[in-house]
Amino acid sequence: QVQLVESGGGLVQPGGSLRLSCVASGTIFNFNTVHWYRQAPGKQREWVAVSINGGSTNYEDSVKGRFTISRDNAKNTVYLQMNSLKPEDTGVYYCKAVIRSFPGGPLIDYWGQGTQVTVSS
């Protein structure tokens, strides 16, 4: 079994910063690609950023230059550093990790429960 837990959300003023964490635990052989998504009230979930095992990253256009995704594979953890936050960044942030639990096993998508980010003055 694998679990993902996000943390680090909260209330912040416009222009402020937050760092989100996504920690995977359980039976993990290969901690592979990890995505961050967000869902604003009344809107569909949207993709925010991705970290590919091996170092590549990519970002949704509206967060480029403000958000940075990084990872610590030894801790099965991915971070999302969010700077210069705007009210439109408000939403529940979810991580999705692609994980292989044993050698030769399938790659499976796991989702966390989400962490609330509110940007407001």
Side-chain angles (χ1 to χ4, degrees), residues 8-119:
L11 172 64
V12 64
Q13 292 187 341
S17 297
L18 285 174
R19 189 176 83 152
L20 306 184
S21 299
C22 170
V23 180
S25 62
T27 307
I28 299 169
F29 173 72
N30 180 226
F31 184 57
N32 208 295
T33 303
V34 180
H35 300 260
W36 283 97
Y37 289 78
R38 66 186 178 190
Q39 188 166 18
K43 294 189 176 181
Q44 289 190 332
R45 192 172 297 187
E46 65 173 359
W47 174 79
V48 175
V50 62
S51 169
I52 299 171
N53 200 12
S56 297
T57 59
N58 200 7
Y59 302 90
E60 191 270 329
D61 284 346
S62 70
V63 308
K64 282 181 180 177
R66 299 188 299 122
F67 290 11
T68 302
I69 190 170
S70 62
R71 62 194 296 155
D72 183 341
N73 286 335
K75 297 181 179 179
N76 292 329
T77 299
V78 171
Y79 305 98
L80 186 67
Q81 177 67 43
M82 305 187 297
N83 299 328
S84 303
L85 282 162
K86 305 175 180 179
E88 51 264 43
D89 294 318
T90 294
V92 179
Y93 282 69
Y94 300 89
C95 65
K96 183 185 80 170
V98 182
I99 292 173
R100 194 190 308 273
S101 289
F102 52 91
L107 288 168
I108 298 175
D109 291 351
Y110 294 90
W111 287 87
Q113 83 292 346
T115 185
Q116 176 70 48
V117 171
T118 303
V119 185

